[in-house]
């Protein structure tokens, strides 16, 4: 345990643990693999889950006070360098940094809790490719997500949304900033959106600061081991967030101990969504008209809320 925690938190190599805890290199590596596998197996269901109905209500209330009605979290991707990538795979995993990397997609909230993690795609992909392959919007497309009804500037919306940067597509479930805003209203909206979207960037920074193994190059050869390591770091990160939640915005207004509801209704043979309904939800998620209308309503709402001052 001591050797494994030191390797995760300080990126200590396996052979250096012999000088501190008198454990050989091979034993330290084996301990690391068994530790991360056990953490994901035991605690993954609780700390890598989707938000429950209580969580969604809390997140929506906090974001409403920040001016973003119906906003749940922020989404973005991070590249983790792979030092020991096999030579036959280097071209496939080399991306914009000209070195092999593996992509991690996360969804993080205002308190830096990571609600969604998708890891394993080669670094040659971009955020759009990762989004097409991840399951971040699967519950919404399958009709299993809890309902979310809100009104902005007289327009009614029934689907929550996430904040994203400019590379993401113009979908109804994503709200992006304005690259070159003109006018006070659009400039104010861009500033508010970019400020709120920094939650996911802060989550990346805190995760890398707490577990330096994620910040430095990965030294293992098997992608499966790297996946267990990154998920273990996220689980431990969420454990720390849970323990320190009383320090975050509005945490004193919620009872975190009462959380017995399930994240989403599980899929069974009796409640498999109809294929046409699935296609309809899919088109609702990718509706560009709703995206433009929602962005325009948020511009006016944020300006009326505190932009005039």
């Amino acid at each position: 345990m001591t050797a494994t925690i030191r390797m995760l938190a300080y990126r200590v190599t396996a052979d250096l643990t012999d000088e501190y805890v008198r454990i050989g290199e091979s034993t330290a590596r084996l301990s690391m693999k068994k530790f991360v596998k056990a953490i994901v197996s035991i605690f993954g269901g609780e700390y890598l889950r989707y938000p429950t109905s209580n969580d969604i209500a809390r997140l929506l209330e906090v974001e409403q006070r920040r001016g973003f009605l119906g906003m749940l979290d922020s989404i973005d991707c991070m590249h983790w360098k792979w030092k020991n990538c096999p030579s036959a795979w280097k071209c496939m995993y080399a991306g914009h940094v000209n070195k092999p990397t593996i992509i991690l997609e996360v969804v993080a909230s205002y308190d830096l809790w990571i609600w969604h993690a998708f890891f394993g795609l080669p670094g040659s992909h971009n955020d759009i490719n990762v989004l097409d392959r991840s399951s971040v919007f699967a519950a919404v497309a399958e009709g299993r997500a809890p309902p979310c009804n809100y009104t902005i500037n007289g327009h009614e919306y029934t689907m929550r949304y996430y904040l994203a940067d400019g590379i993401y597509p113009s979908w109804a479930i994503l709200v992006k900033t304005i690259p070159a805003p003109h006018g006070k209203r659009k400039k104010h909206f861009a500033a508010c959106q970019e400020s709120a979207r920094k939650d996911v960037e802060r989550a990346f920074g805190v995760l890398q600061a707490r577990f330096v193994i994620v910040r430095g190059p990965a030294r293992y050869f098997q992608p499966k081991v790297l996946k267990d390591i990154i998920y273990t770091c996220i689980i431990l990160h969420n454990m720390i967030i849970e323990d320190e939640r009383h320090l975050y915005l509005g945490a004193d207004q919620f009872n975190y101990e009462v959380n017995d509801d399930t994240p989403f209704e599980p899929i069974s043979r009796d409640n498999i969504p109809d294929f046409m309904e699935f296609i309809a939800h899919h088109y609702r998620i990718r509706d560009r008209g709703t995206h433009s209308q929602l962005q325009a309503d948020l511009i006016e709402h944020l300006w009326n809320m505190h932009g005039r001052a």
Side-chain angles (χ1 to χ4, degrees):
M1 289 288 295
T2 303
T4 301
I5 295 298
R6 287 181 62 85
M7 293 168 66
L8 291 174
Y10 305 113
R11 201 166 65 90
V12 176
T13 57
D15 56 339
L16 289 180
T17 58
D18 182 34
E19 301 179 1
Y20 183 72
V21 291
R22 298 298 187 267
I23 292 179
E25 178 180 359
S26 59
T27 305
R29 291 184 182 275
L30 182 61
S31 300
M32 164 72 82
K33 295 178 181 180
K34 289 190 175 183
F35 176 82
V36 296
K37 188 175 182 179
I39 290 294
V40 173
S41 175
I42 297 173
F43 299 102
E46 179 179 359
Y47 291 96
L48 290 179
R49 60 178 172 82
Y50 285 97
T52 63
S53 299
N54 292 337
D55 294 324
I56 292 176
R58 170 176 56 87
L59 295 173
L60 292 176
E61 181 177 343
V62 172
E63 298 303 338
Q64 181 176 355
R65 282 183 283 165
R66 300 171 71 182
F68 290 92
L69 283 78
M71 194 269 276
L72 197 61
D73 302 306
S74 302
I75 184 172
D76 203 359
C77 293
M78 181 192 78
H79 288 256
W80 188 18
K81 292 183 180 180
W82 191 6
K83 180 179 181 296
N84 290 341
C85 175
S87 300
W89 295 356
K90 285 188 176 180
C91 292
M92 180 177 63
Y93 279 83
H96 62 284
V97 296
N98 296 325
K99 292 183 179 180
T101 60
I102 306 179
I103 301 178
L104 169 67
E105 179 193 69
V106 304
V107 170
S109 57
Y110 71 97
D111 56 359
L112 307 185
W113 183 288
I114 297 177
W115 294 103
H116 162 79
F118 176 61
F119 177 80
L121 287 186
S124 56
H125 291 72
N126 56 26
D127 294 7
I128 301 177
N129 305 137
V130 178
L131 182 65
D132 290 336
R133 289 162 175 80
S134 70
S135 60
V136 59
F137 302 142
V140 180
E142 295 166 359
R144 297 184 293 113
C148 179
N149 301 312
Y150 57 97
T151 303
I152 306 178
N153 286 351
H155 296 94
E156 296 183 357
Y157 298 94
T158 60
M159 186 169 52
R160 62 185 185 271
Y161 60 89
Y162 301 80
L163 299 185
D165 56 15
I167 191 175
Y168 281 88
S170 299
W171 291 356
I173 204 170
L174 299 173
V175 171
K176 304 188 296 182
T177 187
I178 301 176
H182 296 284
K184 294 182 178 179
R185 298 172 187 263
K186 293 184 178 180
K187 288 182 180 179
H188 177 69
F189 167 77
C192 293
Q193 195 274 352
E194 293 169 5
S195 176
R197 197 192 65 81
K198 292 299 181 183
D199 293 340
V200 66
E201 303 289 352
R202 291 169 49 227
F204 283 137
V206 173
L207 180 67
Q208 292 177 340
R210 285 174 173 162
F211 303 98
V212 186
I213 191 173
V214 181
R215 185 171 61 188
R219 299 180 180 274
Y220 288 85
F221 291 94
Q222 299 87 358
K224 183 178 180 180
V225 177
L226 298 179
K227 184 176 182 179
D228 289 338
I229 290 176
I230 199 74
Y231 284 165
T232 297
C233 293
I234 293 175
I235 290 172
L236 298 179
H237 166 84
N238 286 342
M239 287 182 178
I240 298 174
I241 295 299
E242 183 181 48
D243 185 62
E244 300 176 351
R245 233 173 202 162
H246 62 282
L247 303 176
Y248 294 98
L249 174 65
D252 55 340
Q253 301 182 8
F254 303 98
N255 183 11
Y256 296 99
E257 300 301 329
V258 182
N259 193 17
D260 298 331
D261 54 342
T262 56
F264 295 120
E265 182 182 358
I267 295 180
S268 64
R269 293 183 178 271
D270 298 330
N271 58 10
I272 295 178
D274 183 76
F275 179 72
M276 297 308 297
E277 293 180 359
F278 175 81
I279 295 298
H281 290 307
H282 183 75
Y283 277 111
R284 286 182 59 234
I285 292 175
R286 297 174 176 246
D287 187 7
R288 292 179 176 267
T290 305
H291 169 83
S292 301
Q293 184 64 54
L294 177 59
Q295 187 182 67
D297 290 337
L298 286 174
I299 291 174
E300 293 297 326
H301 174 73
L302 290 171
W303 179 256
N304 294 330
M305 183 176 180
H306 45 68
R308 296 180 182 273

